Amino acid sequence: RHAAAIVAGVVGNKPLPSEILERITERADGIPLFVEELTKALLEGGGLREQDGGYVLDGPLHSSAIPSSLHASLMARLDRLKPVKEVAQIGAAIGRSFSYAFLAAVARRTDTQLREALDRLAAAGIVTLRGAPPNATITFKHGLMQDAAYGTLLRVPRQQFHARIAEVLVEQFPETAGTQPEIVAHHYTQAGLVEPAIDFLRRAGERALRRSSNVEGVRHLTCALELLASRPEGHERDRLELRLRLALGPAMRALKGNGADEVWVVFSRARELVEDSASVKERMIILHGLWSVQNMRGGQLAAHVLDTPKAMQNDHPF
C-alpha cells in the first residue's frame, strides 16, 4: 500500500498497469528510494505510453526494463543525463550539500550553462535546490545518489576535481579553509597531493587539540603520520614528524592514560628524531612524556635515571 502511494506520487496519480506495479513493489523490497527510482526508470525508459489518463505498456515488458538494483537504477539515470553528468560528478566530489557559488568556482562553466545543468539535474530528481542562484544551496536528494555520481568518476578526473576543490577552498574561501582544514586535507588526500594534505591534517589536528577535542586531534595527526611515511627520508621529513609527534603525544596521553603503550611509542619515536636544534620546550615535552609512562607503570628507578641520548643532553640542566 505504501509503495503504491509512492508510485502514484511519481506518476502523478496516473494509473499504471497492475503488472508494472507488482514488479516495482516486488523488486524494491520495501525501500522507498528504490520504489521511486524503479518507477522513474520505467517512465524514462520508453516502455510505457500515456493513454486514457493513465499508462499502458508499449510492448512486451522485458526483465531488463526494470533495473536489478538501486545502484543500477541510479547509474542508468545518470547515464541518461550525459550532457550534464559532469556537473553531478563535480558536486559529488564536493559533498552532499554545497553552495552555488562554490560549485561555480570549481565547475568553470558560464552561469547560463551551470543553471541549465542544475535545472536538468533537479528535474531528474538527482539534486534539490534551495533558493535561487547565485544564492542557492544544492543538495543531493539522497546520499546514494551522491555515491552513484561519484562512483562514475575515473581516477584521473576524480583526482583533478579534488585538487581543484582544494585550490578553490584555499584561494577563494579562506575562512572555510581556516576553520575546517580537515576538509581541505580530505580533498588534497583524494587528489594524491600528499604534502599539502599533511600540512592541512596537521593544522586540523592542532586546531582540534586547542579545543580539547583529543579524539579528533589524534585522528587527524595519525592520518598525517600515515601519509608522511610515504615521503622520502630526510631532514625535512624528520622535523615534520617530530612536530606531529610532539602534538600527538600529550593528546594520546589524555586519551589513553599516562602508562599506555601508545604513549610510550609516540614519545620514544620523538626521542629518536630530536636533534641539536630542538628547543628546550620540545626536549621537555619528550622527557616528561617518557617519564610519565615509566612513573605510572611503577618504574620509579627508570623514571629517575631516564637515559637521555646525546642529542638531548647538550648543556641543559635536565
Side-chain angles (χ1 to χ4, degrees):
R1 177 170 55 85
H2 293 296
I6 294 173
V7 171
V10 174
V11 300
N13 291 313
K14 296 178 180 178
L16 282 177
S18 58
E19 179 186 2
I20 294 290
L21 187 57
E22 289 174 7
R23 290 280 192 95
I24 291 174
T25 53
E26 179 184 352
R27 185 70 62 81
D29 198 26
I31 302 172
L33 178 62
F34 201 4
V35 175
E36 287 188 28
E37 285 302 308
L38 292 179
T39 307
K40 289 176 181 177
L42 286 167
L43 292 178
E44 297 169 3
L48 298 172
R49 59 183 171 85
E50 292 191 52
Q51 180 178 303
D52 300 328
Y55 287 99
V56 295
L57 284 169
D58 197 21
L61 181 63
H62 299 288
S63 59
S64 60
I66 302 181
S68 59
S69 68
L70 178 56
H71 181 74
S73 177
L74 294 171
M75 295 290 281
R77 182 123 64 94
L78 284 167
D79 287 339
R80 289 192 291 271
L81 294 168
K82 282 187 178 179
V84 298
K85 183 178 177 180
E86 187 176 271
V87 173
Q89 293 172 324
I90 294 172
I94 295 173
R96 175 76 185 277
S97 184
F98 42 88
S99 69
Y100 178 89
F102 190 82
L103 177 64
V106 177
R108 296 177 180 173
R109 282 168 169 74
T110 66
D111 185 64
T112 300
Q113 290 173 333
L114 190 56
R115 290 186 188 221
E116 290 177 351
L118 289 173
D119 286 342
R120 288 198 59 186
L121 291 171
I126 302 294
V127 301
T128 59
L129 274 70
R130 188 173 71 250
N135 301 313
T137 298
I138 300 100
T139 304
F140 279 92
K141 189 175 180 181
H142 196 283
L144 292 175
M145 291 180 175
Q146 178 195 353
D147 293 343
Y150 189 78
T152 61
L153 278 169
L154 298 177
R155 184 177 64 86
V156 172
R158 182 178 69 244
Q159 289 181 325
Q160 291 172 343
F161 287 155
H162 280 294
R164 197 185 307 169
I165 292 166
E167 177 185 318
V168 168
L169 278 169
V170 172
E171 296 180 358
Q172 300 184 40
F173 296 84
E175 183 176 347
T176 300
T179 58
Q180 301 180 70
E182 64 277 5
I183 295 179
V184 184
H186 164 74
H187 290 295
Y188 273 131
T189 301
Q190 295 303 311
L193 300 174
V194 176
E195 292 184 4
I198 293 172
D199 181 45
F200 276 92
L201 280 169
R202 176 190 58 76
R203 297 188 198 186
E206 292 177 351
R207 185 173 186 276
L209 297 181
R210 287 195 296 271
R211 305 194 314 272
S212 298
S213 299
N214 291 316
V215 173
E216 183 182 349
V218 167
R219 183 173 68 250
H220 294 320
L221 293 171
T222 301
C223 288
L225 285 169
E226 290 172 354
L227 286 177
L228 187 63
S230 66
R231 308 310 296 156
E233 294 183 2
H235 174 75
E236 290 301 321
R237 195 187 88 166
D238 288 349
R239 282 298 302 169
L240 180 53
E241 183 181 352
L242 177 61
R243 179 172 181 176
L244 291 170
R245 291 190 180 277
L246 286 172
L248 180 60
M252 189 70 78
R253 188 168 58 201
L255 280 182
K256 302 290 185 178
N258 284 336
D261 290 340
E262 294 91 339
V263 177
W264 179 259
V265 169
V266 171
F267 283 116
S268 294
R269 175 58 180 161
R271 183 185 187 183
E272 295 173 2
L273 293 166
V274 77
E275 327 176 302
D276 291 338
S277 59
S279 67
V280 173
K281 181 179 179 180
E282 290 174 332
R283 297 167 189 270
M284 286 298 296
I285 291 173
I286 296 169
L287 286 175
H288 182 264
L290 293 170
W291 173 86
S292 66
V293 175
Q294 292 286 16
N295 189 56
M296 182 57 64
R297 290 177 173 178
Q300 279 75 23
L301 182 60
H304 180 67
V305 296
L306 189 63
D307 183 25
T308 57
K310 184 177 180 181
M312 296 187 69
Q313 290 174 1
N314 288 345
D315 298 324
H316 297 296
F318 54 85

